[in-house]
């Protein structure tokens, strides 16, 4: 039997994470775990390991910042995120369904590490298993993932699987934090369609700082429906984890306002390059910035094809030449690099850049390659939306502080009570004027629901475009605008939250509690 003592042995062995060198990319390696066998008991965390979250930390004021590191774009090869190897895998019979369930077991230490973000400088970051970003986990639909986290940081932490449909006790609720020396085991059933999810810290009051410092990683769920599609696979299927940062001349990663964060990172490196073949690639785009929007386009204005939103494939492909992502939002696109000659390069830009350079990364076309992939006209089947049982309204404000419906987050107060299996319409309004400014923050909001996935029905009473019409867990709510979403509560009863995913906002209280009751 694999018990807590075995898992602790695995944890002290080091993180089983690595970044694969591919197409001229930069390698990074961490020690591998030794696999074990047997069944896993459901581990409860002792009460005394839970810690009250700290008050939200403010961004550094401009006069507190040091000299900025001067970085030349495209000095780094972009690392390719490699999949973490399970410490153990086993099968067992589900007590509910009687079916055989496969389980992969992982263990991660949360600790500080020194990494090179800007060429020639070492920066101290927070890591999962010693990696920045955290190691990628690949899961299969219906196969359980068990993930034990060990906190070796001074900050309290908890881990949320963003976009995951998981029981409440494994959701990473904001107050279920673990202090230094503590540990907690999460179980993810993965009973949902293929999607590009991610995991990150969610400790209330410290989540913005913890994520900014590095506590985030990619979590991919695949299924048979997705695998049957002739989309680019293997080395031609790449997550691009994008965020802003501020690196000082001495290498320090400073917790600063977006306007003071001119360094744009992809997979942990500042404005990298990546060598590609002249063929189609599937790019999974992540905006993990804690408080900024990005708008991505190629410098030559070339078109690409969007195939997915946050929670999985669209019904059909959508041709675009620019895509906007708010904090925590994801999209998947197909880019055909065969339109460029071998030996040429093309830059991916952020047209929503603040004071910084617009470049995000550069693709270098270095070789020819066979390409049997294609983009089908039909990607997924979407059922009709059920008739909603009720409507709710959420007013988001930013002045004098960040509130939803005039209230700041109180974990003891139930803001929404609903029933498992219910369908609702939520109208979310950002009533701040477009010209309103709050120092250090974007006044855009990034509305995120835990447990529930939703469909965006309209913006400002107008139907949304096809690129936003898929299943989502995060939606942009710009100043002066309103969004209507169809929310379906399925999976598990229990306590969950909804909040702005510009994490400076949620750290300051822009969050509410929702209790999902059994039928």
């Amino acid at each position: 039997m694999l018990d807590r003592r075995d898992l602790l042995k695995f944890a002290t062995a080091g993180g089983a994470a690595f970044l694969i060198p591919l197409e001229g990319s930069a390698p990074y390696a961490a020690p591998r775990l030794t696999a074990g066998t047997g069944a896993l008991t459901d581990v409860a965390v002792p009460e005394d390991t839970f810690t009250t979250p700290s008050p939200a930390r403010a961004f550094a004021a401009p006069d507190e910042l040091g000299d900025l590191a001067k970085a030349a774009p495209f000095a780094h090869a972009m690392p390719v995120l490699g999949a973490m190897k399970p410490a153990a895998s086993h099968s067992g019979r589900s007590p509910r369904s009687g079916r055989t369930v496969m389980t992969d077991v992982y263990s991660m230490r949360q600790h500080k590490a020194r990494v090179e973000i800007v060429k020639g400088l070492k920066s101290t970051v927070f890591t999962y298993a010693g990696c920045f970003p955290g190691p990628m986990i690949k899961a299969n639909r219906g196969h359980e993932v068990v993930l034990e986290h060990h906190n070796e940081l001074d900050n309290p932490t908890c881990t949320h699987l963003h976009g995951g449909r998981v029981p409440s006790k494994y959701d990473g609720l904001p107050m279920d934090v673990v202090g230094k020396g503590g540990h907690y085991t999460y179980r993810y059933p993965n009973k949902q369609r293929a999607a590009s999810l991610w995991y990150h810290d969610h400790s209330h009051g410290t989540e913005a700082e913890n994520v900014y410092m590095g506590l985030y990683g990619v979590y991919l769920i695949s299924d048979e429906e997705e695998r049957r599609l002739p989309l680019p696979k293997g080395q031609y299927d790449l997550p691009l984890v994008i965020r802003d940062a501020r690196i000082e001349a001495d290498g320090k990663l400073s917790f600063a306002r977006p306007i003071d964060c001119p360094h744009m990172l992809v997979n942990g490196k500042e404005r990298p390059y990546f060598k590609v073949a002249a063929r189609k690639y599937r790019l999974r785009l992540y905006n993990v910035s804690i408080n900024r929007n990005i708008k991505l386009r190629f410098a030559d204005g070339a078109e690409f094809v969007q195939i997915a939103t946050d929670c999985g494939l669209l019904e059909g492909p959508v041709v675009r030449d620019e895509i906007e992502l708010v904090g925590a939002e994801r999209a998947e696109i197909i880019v055909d690099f065969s339109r460029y000659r071998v030996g040429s390069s093309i830059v991916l830009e952020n047209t929503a850049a603040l004071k910084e350079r617009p470049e995000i990364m550069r693709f270098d076309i270095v070789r020819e390659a066979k390409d049997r992939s294609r983009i089908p006209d039909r990607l997924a089947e979407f059922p009709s939306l059920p008739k909603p049982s009720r409507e709710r309204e959420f007013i988001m404000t930013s002045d004098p502080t960040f509130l939803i419906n005039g209230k700041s987050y109180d974990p003891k107060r139930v803001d929404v009570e609903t029933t498992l299996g219910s369908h609702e319409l939520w109208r979310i309004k950002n009533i701040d004027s477009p010209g309103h400014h709050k120092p250090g923050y974007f006044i855009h909001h990034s509305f995120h629901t835990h447990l529930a996935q939703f469909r965006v029905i309209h913006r400002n009473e107008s139907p949304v475009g096809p690129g936003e019409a898929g299943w989502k867990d995060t939606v942009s709510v710009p100043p002066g605008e309103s969004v209507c979403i169809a929310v379906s509560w399925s999976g598990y009863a229990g306590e969950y939250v909804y909040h702005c995913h510009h994490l400076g906002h949620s750290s300051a209280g822009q969050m509410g509690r929702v209790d999902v009751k059994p039928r």
Side-chain angles (χ1 to χ4, degrees):
M1 176 176 290
L2 183 65
D3 61 14
R4 173 173 289 277
R5 182 172 297 175
D6 295 319
L7 283 171
L8 287 171
K9 290 178 182 178
F10 290 144
T12 57
F18 55 94
L19 297 178
I20 299 173
L22 179 68
E23 298 285 0
S25 62
Y28 175 77
R32 298 223 181 159
L33 298 179
T34 303
T37 58
L40 182 78
T41 57
D42 196 4
V43 180
V45 66
E47 290 290 338
D48 59 2
T49 66
F50 284 99
T51 305
T52 302
S54 304
R57 179 183 165 191
F59 292 131
D63 60 1
E64 297 174 326
L65 299 172
D67 294 333
L68 189 66
K70 296 179 181 179
F74 320 131
H76 275 291
M78 184 192 79
V80 175
L81 304 181
M84 188 179 191
K85 301 297 183 183
S89 297
H90 62 83
S91 61
R93 193 169 299 278
S94 168
R96 291 185 178 181
S97 66
R99 298 177 181 175
T100 299
V101 177
M102 294 296 300
T103 298
D104 290 330
V105 182
Y106 300 84
S107 186
M108 290 189 194
R109 294 164 51 231
Q110 301 168 10
H111 62 93
K112 293 181 180 180
R114 298 275 287 170
V115 301
E116 187 178 68
I117 299 173
V118 170
K119 196 73 170 180
L121 296 175
K122 289 288 187 178
S123 302
T124 299
V125 298
F126 297 172
T127 72
Y128 292 114
C131 292
F132 179 79
M136 178 169 67
I137 293 178
K138 285 190 172 182
N140 290 308
R141 184 174 185 173
H143 289 199
E144 183 185 49
V145 163
V146 173
L147 181 54
E148 174 144 325
H149 282 279
H150 302 262
N151 183 12
E152 298 176 9
L153 297 166
D154 294 328
N155 285 8
T157 68
C158 65
T159 303
H160 169 57
L161 178 58
H162 187 112
R165 292 169 57 187
V166 305
S168 175
K169 63 180 177 179
Y170 305 128
D171 187 56
L173 290 173
M175 306 305 289
D176 288 351
V177 297
V178 176
K180 184 175 183 178
H183 44 79
Y184 193 73
T185 299
Y186 300 85
R187 305 181 77 103
Y188 302 142
N190 300 313
K191 296 178 181 179
Q192 58 191 93
R193 61 202 297 260
S196 296
L197 309 184
W198 62 302
Y199 61 96
H200 62 82
D201 182 74
H202 210 301
S203 54
H204 187 49
T206 51
E207 70 264 45
E209 179 187 5
N210 286 349
V211 173
Y212 181 86
M213 293 299 295
L215 292 187
Y216 57 88
V218 167
Y219 189 104
L220 303 183
I221 299 179
S222 184
D223 61 18
E224 286 300 323
E225 178 185 4
E226 178 194 44
R227 286 190 287 268
R228 282 196 297 265
L229 296 175
L231 299 171
K233 294 179 172 64
Q235 64 180 309
Y236 306 110
D237 179 358
L238 297 171
L240 303 184
V241 182
I242 303 169
R243 57 161 292 186
D244 61 353
R246 181 184 180 87
I247 311 298
E248 309 289 4
D250 62 0
K252 180 183 178 182
L253 174 58
S254 291
F255 185 57
R257 307 176 305 167
I259 196 71
D260 296 320
C261 289
H263 296 109
M264 298 302 296
L265 316 186
V266 184
N267 293 358
K269 299 298 183 184
E270 209 273 334
R271 291 184 172 87
Y273 66 87
F274 184 68
K275 296 180 180 180
V276 297
R279 56 151 292 156
K280 290 188 288 296
Y281 281 71
R282 178 180 182 175
L283 303 181
R284 301 173 186 254
L285 306 175
Y286 287 73
N287 180 7
V288 302
S289 303
I290 65 166
N291 199 36
R292 110 158 33 209
N293 300 356
I294 56 175
K295 287 185 180 180
L296 302 176
R297 71 183 294 276
F298 287 96
D300 62 353
E303 293 179 334
F304 50 83
V305 180
Q306 183 183 355
I307 61 168
T309 48
D310 304 324
C311 294
L313 294 166
L314 293 165
E315 287 187 292
V318 179
V319 177
R320 308 187 67 167
D321 61 11
E322 184 175 72
I323 193 163
E324 181 173 15
L325 301 175
V326 293
E329 212 172 8
R330 289 93 64 211
E332 298 179 29
I333 64 174
I334 305 292
V335 180
D336 191 349
F337 291 105
S338 68
R339 63 191 174 209
Y340 303 106
R341 62 175 178 80
V342 173
S344 64
S345 299
I346 185 64
V347 171
L348 183 66
E349 296 180 331
N350 173 25
T351 62
L354 300 177
K355 295 192 299 184
E356 74 274 5
R357 306 173 63 112
E359 301 97 337
I360 294 289
M361 66 177 296
R362 188 185 72 201
F363 293 94
D364 297 336
I365 297 82
V366 298
R367 63 180 176 88
E368 301 286 351
K370 291 183 179 180
D371 186 4
R372 296 185 177 89
S373 69
R374 61 183 178 85
I375 307 171
D377 293 333
R378 195 75 172 173
L379 296 167
E381 298 295 329
F382 280 23
S384 300
L385 290 171
K387 183 178 180 180
S389 58
R390 68 171 298 167
E391 296 187 15
R392 303 182 192 268
E393 185 174 75
F394 299 85
I395 305 298
M396 307 186 77
T397 53
S398 304
D399 196 7
T401 187
F402 297 99
L403 306 173
I404 300 179
N405 290 342
K407 298 176 181 178
S408 184
Y409 176 58
D410 179 349
K412 297 180 181 179
R413 184 189 68 237
V414 178
D415 299 288
V416 170
E417 186 173 296
T418 188
T419 305
L420 194 64
S422 64
H423 306 278
E424 304 181 350
L425 280 183
W426 285 20
R427 300 180 185 276
I428 306 131
K429 296 181 179 179
N430 181 347
I431 64 172
D432 289 321
S433 64
H436 183 80
H437 176 69
K438 189 177 183 70
Y441 293 92
F442 269 4
I443 306 305
H444 266 73
H445 294 304
S446 172
F447 192 85
H448 170 55
T449 54
H450 287 216
L451 181 68
Q453 298 177 357
F454 56 78
R455 301 274 298 277
V456 184
I457 305 302
H458 60 66
R459 286 185 172 277
N460 305 316
E461 308 304 323
S462 297
V464 297
E468 199 176 20
W471 288 104
K472 294 180 61 59
D473 56 54
T474 307
V475 64
S476 170
V477 192
E481 296 193 14
S482 65
V483 178
C484 181
I485 62 176
V487 184
S488 296
W489 294 101
S490 61
Y492 306 95
E495 177 185 342
Y496 296 91
V497 293
Y498 54 89
H499 59 93
C500 181
H501 215 288
H502 283 162
L503 294 179
H505 301 190
S506 62
S507 290
Q510 200 163 51
M511 181 158 51
R513 172 177 165 176
V514 54
D515 281 8
V516 183
K517 302 296 183 182
R519 294 189 187 187

